Amino acid sequence: KIMGDKQNISSLVTGGEASAGPPLGPALGPMGVNIMEVISAINEKTNDFKGMKVPVTVTVDSDTKKWEIEIGIPSASALILKEANIQKGSGTSGTEWVADIGIDAIVKVANVKLESSYASKLKSVAKQVIGTCQCLGIKIEGKTPKEMTAEINSGKWDEKLIVNS
């Protein structure tokens, strides 16, 4: 046998704030790895997503005790709420608007999601992100998500949304 068994622990952690407590500590303990080393590596890799729930998978080789960490991408709504600097969206989306973010925030979130999305165009991911804004009750550039989507479809924001490859 060349390689030991691989064991995966998947968990949602708060970016930059994972700890040796549950769920990670107790799961890592029996695997014989240095828990604090793993935790600090997770925190280092999730620091950009402070305060957001981030999916994390730790893979441990049970023979060599070598470990790897894979960091997922927070949900679009978590990213948007961070850009808008609010904790949660509107309870009554479509009638109550709780925040207003700029097109640059949409582009930023769309770029993060593009890496994990099946879409190949920033423009289509941006429209998904704007759809999420609709659910959260967040306007973009002072416009409702519906108005914004119409402007994107008409090409008004192309210079921000078309990546010249």
Side-chain angles (χ1 to χ4, degrees), residues 100-142:
D100 189 349
I101 59 178
I103 186 75
D104 292 335
I106 297 290
V107 173
K108 188 169 153 193
V109 171
N111 271 313
V112 172
K113 292 310 281 180
L114 189 59
E115 295 169 24
S116 64
S117 143
Y118 295 110
S120 57
K121 300 234 182 312
L122 185 59
K123 198 168 177 171
S124 39
V125 180
K127 287 198 272 189
Q128 291 167 8
V129 172
I130 288 171
T132 306
C133 287
Q134 175 73 42
C135 309
L136 294 171
I138 294 175
K139 290 186 173 185
I140 305 97
E141 302 280 341

Side-chain angles (χ1 to χ4, degrees), residues 1-22:
K1 177 164 115 169
I2 300 169
M3 218 167 147
D5 291 329
K6 296 256 187 204
Q7 290 183 293
N8 285 337
I9 302 169
S10 294
S11 174
L12 264 185
V13 301
T14 302
E17 294 172 29
S19 76

Side-chain angles (χ1 to χ4, degrees), residues 28-102:
L28 290 167
M31 296 186 173
V33 296
N34 180 330
I35 297 174
M36 288 324 292
E37 237 176 61
V38 176
I39 298 293
S40 69
I42 289 172
N43 286 334
E44 204 174 292
K45 289 188 171 196
T46 59
N47 226 354
D48 290 351
F49 299 130
K50 265 206 187 315
M52 291 189 259
K53 294 282 180 218
V54 186
V56 172
T57 304
V58 181
T59 305
V60 179
D61 182 312
S62 53
D63 283 0
T64 65
K65 307 296 179 214
K66 280 201 175 9
W67 46 269
E68 286 172 359
I69 300 169
E70 207 176 297
I71 304 293
I73 305 267
S75 67
S77 40
L79 292 165
I80 292 164
L81 290 171
K82 180 178 189 227
E83 287 301 316
N85 217 348
I86 55 177
Q87 293 305 305
K88 60 186 192 55
S90 157
T92 52
S93 64
T95 52
E96 183 196 357
W97 302 97
V98 292
D100 189 349
I101 59 178

